Amino acid sequence: MRRLSLLPAVAVALLLALGPAVAQSPSRLLDLTDKLDRLDRADLGAHLEEAERCIPRRRWSCVDAALAQADKVAVAGADRRRLDAVRASARAERQREDDEAYERRQAEERERRRVLAERRAAEERRAAERRHAEAQERERRNAAQRLALAQLAQDNERRLLDHQRRVREMQADASRRREEQARADQERWQRERQQQLAQSAQNQQDRDARRLADEQARERERQAEQARREREERERELQRQAEERRLAQERQRAELQAQREQERREREAAAQARRDAEERERREAFDQLRSGTRLAARTCPGGEGRQFVVGRVPQAAKNKAGCIDVSFVARCPGDSVGSRGTARNFLGAATDCYMGDTVAISPTPSCQADQVRVEVTDVRACGR
């Protein structure tokens, strides 16, 4: 493509270099013209071959670009006919593509109608099944209600018979208890009389036993008081020793707690210092990324005329920052607004279309990619 744009300049340079020799030899001028024609035909063939390769793949932007370049160098009638034949092949292939798309749309519409019909039929079947199930459920509830009423009547009659039987049993039990109570009262009076006589004798024995027991109790109390005083003295000594041990343990616990508190404060201070250092390094890394990231615009093969942002970032700062999002603005010369975008999870390892990140510029700038200026507006951690 670049050689075509230089052909007139090359021809002029050759004519100036040859000078009088060309004027003295017309045949040499014809040879030069013939060479230039062959170069044009070679370029025409290359463009038409490119278009013919792109037609079966249906890459129409490639086809249109190749035919436009071929149209610039096609002069002779045979070249024009070959160019027209390739164009006719492209139109036929596009028509086949349109026909295939139309057939696909028709097939999709038929499938959609079939699915809708099946759905309506399924809904009608489900509605009929629901009505049938509801009728069966009503019949079941009615039968259950009739059965419950019959069961209730049977239960009421059974409870009435049970009540009458219990009344008769209660009357018989009351009569039997009255007779038993009378016999029990007579026996209790006799036992109480015998107990009163025995109690009088027992009371005398108890008084004698209490006097002896009181004397023995006073002696035991004296001995117990003596033992109590001795026990209290031992307990006071044990308490004094226990208090001394407790105070010593409390002093040890206080010292240990103070030591642990000091260690905790030192650990927290060290952790805070580490966090501050990491945050400072992270801020410095993002500052380096904002100032050191270099972006450019490219057109990539297969991109169908769109432009993409590629670029590199300072990898040392990138390793510290981790995953980053790069915001940018792409402007043509004289454009004050430009196209803004964000490259998510930007690696920034290469500036080509195959090894590096490629982020589409939307909307596509109106100028060529080599004229687009891409500026970094911000670099942030991913998702922020």
Side-chain angles (χ1 to χ4, degrees):
M1 299 300 294
R2 186 174 296 169
R3 180 165 57 80
L4 287 174
S5 62
L6 296 176
L7 281 177
V10 172
V12 173
L14 289 173
L15 290 174
L16 293 175
L18 294 175
V22 174
Q24 294 174 4
S25 178
S27 62
R28 296 183 65 182
L29 179 59
L30 292 175
D31 291 339
L32 178 60
T33 303
D34 183 60
K35 290 179 180 179
L36 294 175
D37 290 340
R38 286 197 298 272
L39 288 174
D40 289 341
R41 284 193 296 275
D43 286 337
L44 174 65
H47 294 318
L48 292 179
E49 289 175 0
E50 177 68 16
E52 289 174 343
R53 283 194 300 271
C54 293
I55 288 172
R57 302 175 185 174
R58 295 177 175 175
R59 296 172 54 193
W60 304 120
S61 59
C62 168
V63 174
D64 293 340
L67 291 179
Q69 295 298 329
D71 188 62
K72 294 179 181 179
V73 297
V75 178
D79 295 341
R80 300 301 300 184
R81 286 192 296 274
R82 184 180 176 189
L83 175 60
D84 293 340
V86 175
R87 281 178 174 166
S89 177
R91 286 195 298 272
E93 185 62 27
R94 284 188 175 180
Q95 184 61 41
R96 281 193 295 273
E97 184 180 23
D98 293 340
D99 293 342
E100 292 173 0
Y102 175 77
E103 290 296 331
R104 285 195 300 271
R105 289 194 298 272
Q106 291 296 320
E108 291 173 356
E109 179 63 21
R110 289 192 296 271
E111 179 64 17
R112 186 183 67 82
R113 292 178 180 176
R114 184 188 65 77
V115 170
L116 289 176
E118 291 180 353
R119 287 179 180 175
R120 285 196 295 270
E123 290 175 356
E124 292 176 356
R125 287 194 302 272
R126 287 194 293 270
E129 291 173 355
R130 283 196 301 272
R131 290 193 296 271
H132 179 69
E134 290 172 355
Q136 288 182 337
E137 180 62 20
R138 285 195 299 271
E139 180 61 26
R140 186 189 63 77
R141 286 198 297 269
N142 293 335
Q145 186 176 8
R146 291 192 297 271
L147 179 61
L149 291 174
Q151 185 67 34
L152 180 60
Q154 293 178 359
D155 292 342
N156 291 334
E157 184 177 359
R158 185 172 57 256
R159 283 196 294 272
L160 178 61
L161 294 175
D162 290 342
H163 176 71
Q164 293 174 353
R165 178 181 54 78
R166 284 195 299 272
V167 168
R168 290 192 298 269
E169 291 177 353
M170 290 172 61
Q171 291 174 350
D173 289 341
S175 177
R176 185 173 57 256
R177 282 195 298 272
R178 284 193 298 270
E179 294 176 356
E180 292 175 352
Q181 184 65 36
R183 287 194 299 269
D185 291 343
Q186 180 64 28
E187 292 174 356
R188 185 175 61 256
W189 181 83
Q190 292 177 355
R191 284 194 304 272
E192 289 176 355
R193 179 60 180 168
Q194 293 174 357
Q195 289 174 357
Q196 288 174 358
L197 295 175
Q199 185 66 35
S200 297
Q202 184 66 35
N203 289 340
Q204 184 60 40
Q205 293 177 1
D206 291 343
R207 284 191 294 270
D208 295 339
R210 278 196 298 272
R211 282 193 301 270
L212 179 60
D214 289 341
E215 293 175 358
Q216 294 174 352
R218 282 192 294 271
E219 179 62 20
R220 286 194 299 272
E221 287 177 358
R222 186 186 64 77
Q223 295 175 358
E225 180 65 21
Q226 180 66 27
R228 182 183 63 77
R229 286 195 296 269
E230 294 175 356
R231 186 172 58 255
E232 288 178 353
E233 184 65 25
R234 289 194 301 272
E235 289 177 354
R236 282 193 294 271
E237 179 63 21
L238 292 174
Q239 290 176 356
R240 184 185 62 78
Q241 295 175 0
E243 181 66 17
E244 290 178 356
R245 288 194 299 272
R246 185 185 65 80
L247 292 176
Q249 291 174 355
E250 288 183 354
R251 285 194 298 272
Q252 291 178 356
R253 284 197 296 269
E255 293 173 358
L256 181 59
Q257 181 65 25
Q259 181 180 357
R260 289 176 178 173
E261 183 65 21
Q262 179 64 24
E263 292 176 353
R264 183 186 63 79
R265 287 195 294 270
E266 292 176 355
R267 287 196 300 273
E268 291 179 352
Q272 184 63 39
R274 287 195 300 274
R275 289 193 294 271
D276 293 341
E278 292 173 356
E279 182 62 23
R280 185 168 56 255
E281 290 182 358
R282 187 175 177 84
R283 287 196 300 270
E284 292 175 355
F286 276 100
D287 292 339
Q288 293 175 9
L289 288 169
R290 294 186 184 97
S291 61
T293 299
R294 298 293 180 266
L295 304 179
R298 295 283 186 274
T299 55
C300 297
E304 299 181 354
R306 293 182 298 171
Q307 296 182 10
F308 300 86
V309 168
V310 298
R312 291 180 179 274
V313 300
Q315 289 301 318
K318 171 70 169 58
N319 294 336
K320 294 178 180 179
C323 179
I324 60 172
D325 294 339
V326 179
S327 299
F328 61 86
V329 57
R331 296 189 179 95
C332 290
D335 185 3
S336 61
V337 179
S339 301
R340 295 183 179 274
T342 300
R344 305 292 182 184
N345 192 13
F346 192 71
L347 301 179
T351 58
D352 58 76
C353 295
Y354 301 100
M355 300 297 294
D357 304 270
T358 55
V359 182
I361 303 175
S362 179
T364 302
S366 57
C367 57
Q368 296 296 324
D370 56 1
Q371 298 176 347
V372 175
R373 180 183 178 187
V374 183
E375 298 177 358
V376 176
T377 59
D378 195 11
V379 178
R380 300 181 302 277
C382 288
R384 294 189 178 179

